[in-house]
Amino acid sequence: MPRPSRESYGDQKPPYSYISLTAMAIWSSPERMLPLSEIYRFITDRFPYYRRNTQRWQNSLRHNLSFNDCFVKVPRRPDRPGKGAYWTLHPQAFDMFENGSLLRRRKRFKLQKGEKDNLSAELAALASFNRAFLARQAGAPPPPAIPSASLYTPTMCPQLSPEPAELPEVGGMTMLVRERPRRAFTIEALLEPEPPRSPPSPPQPVMAMTLPPYVMAAQRYHAELLAAAHALRPCYIPHPLSVA
DNA sequence: GGATGTTTACGGGTGT
DNA sequence: ACACCCGTAAACATCC
């Protein structure tokens, strides 16, 4: 059976739920997080069906983002101004589709009350960094009690050490991991064990400045998401979509 | 004002 | 049959 191209659905509705499509979009991005407008763009670029009735499906998609705990809203970094927050996948949500169906999940991903509270607290701390950063940029007097690094204690991935080894440090400056996925963009392909890498490419610096606490916290947060994703080894069955 | 985000409600479909 | 996931609509709030 020939492998259908990503455009092969034409004007037909692709066999993926909005949750699947959103997860694919997020996972296709270098930092595994996207603003809403980019999620829209990913979907309309690849699936012509979604170039029509945009009001309808975009409303549904926003509903899914807000309603499902598997999607986490990350406050926008102050050095990346723009509209809306970034959306990412909760690290514990990667086995949602382990029955192989991208249309209907095995089970809804639901955080427990405590987990939800912890996550909210972390993101509130991140937003607080954001406000403090912006206030300082604007020349305002220093805001009260900016949370220190020790106060920013991520709890999303308790199995991880507070300082992920994957986060490179060069010359005292933390860098963002800016690697594009090397594998085909399918849910199952992306979540397979990492293929042997050769040779390792040096990380690309994205900021030539001393990073403020907010950015460092955000980067640690992002690195944990990536590390948690790589640590998981779920079992998926193949599906035809290939989005390079 | 438009984009983004939250919440509630409801009917259809699917898995067990 | 029942539980629950999914898609859709809609009202409303918030943000840029």
Side-chain angles (χ1 to χ4, degrees):
Chain A
M1 187 93 117
R3 186 187 179 94
S5 78
R6 71 186 187 200
E7 306 289 356
S8 64
Y9 300 108
D11 286 343
Q12 301 301 308
K13 184 169 186 170
Y16 310 110
S17 66
Y18 290 125
I19 292 177
S20 303
L21 291 170
T22 307
M24 289 181 208
I26 290 171
W27 199 253
S28 77
S29 68
E31 293 170 303
R32 309 293 196 259
M33 54 199 302
L34 283 179
L36 183 62
S37 57
E38 293 297 310
I39 297 174
Y40 290 160
R41 190 141 68 108
F42 176 92
I43 293 172
T44 51
D45 278 355
R46 285 161 180 76
F47 305 105
Y49 174 84
Y50 290 108
R51 292 170 194 164
R52 306 189 308 257
N53 298 319
T54 52
Q55 291 283 330
R56 181 162 48 170
W57 71 262
Q58 290 180 355
N59 182 28
S60 296
L61 192 141
R62 289 195 304 275
H63 160 75
N64 274 287
L65 282 171
S66 290
F67 184 72
N68 290 287
D69 289 346
C70 57
F71 298 117
V72 180
K73 190 177 71 174
V74 181
R76 195 176 266 274
R77 288 165 40 165
D79 56 326
R80 289 187 194 171
K83 198 149 189 170
Y86 278 76
W87 290 94
T88 189
L89 273 173
H90 194 288
Q92 295 167 21
F94 284 97
D95 65 349
M96 280 190 306
F97 301 100
E98 73 178 16
N99 65 351
S101 170
L102 292 174
L103 256 185
R104 188 180 169 88
R105 291 174 295 176
R106 177 183 54 99
K107 189 179 190 312
R108 182 192 292 275
F109 176 79
K110 210 69 194 163
L111 287 177
Q112 292 181 354
K113 178 80 168 66
E115 294 175 310
K116 211 165 182 171
D117 291 344
N118 287 337
L119 182 53
S120 297
E122 286 171 27
L123 295 172
L126 214 46
S128 170
F129 275 121
N130 208 338
R131 282 190 296 274
F133 181 89
L134 290 173
R136 190 156 50 179
Q137 292 281 74
I146 300 173
S148 69
S150 63
L151 282 177
Y152 181 74
T153 317
T155 56
M156 287 173 72
C157 321
Q159 75 277 19
L160 297 169
S161 66
E163 300 292 342
E166 291 85 350
L167 196 62
E169 282 226 4
V170 177
M173 184 173 69
T174 309
M175 308 224 187
L176 272 179
V177 178
R178 276 267 183 183
E179 228 176 327
R180 274 204 80 83
R182 286 179 301 277
R183 287 169 285 177
F185 180 57
T186 65
I187 296 288
E188 86 287 351
L190 290 168
L191 296 178
E192 278 168 1
E194 276 274 299
R197 43 176 70 196
S198 63
S201 54
Q204 301 298 310
V206 294
M207 298 175 66
M209 55 178 280
T210 304
L211 299 178
Y214 164 80
V215 179
M216 296 185 69
Q219 288 183 357
R220 191 188 321 168
Y221 173 80
H222 301 161
E224 280 168 3
L225 290 174
L226 289 171
H230 288 153
L232 291 168
R233 294 290 179 268
C235 173
Y236 293 90
I237 69 170
H239 72 93
L241 180 69
S242 174
V243 187

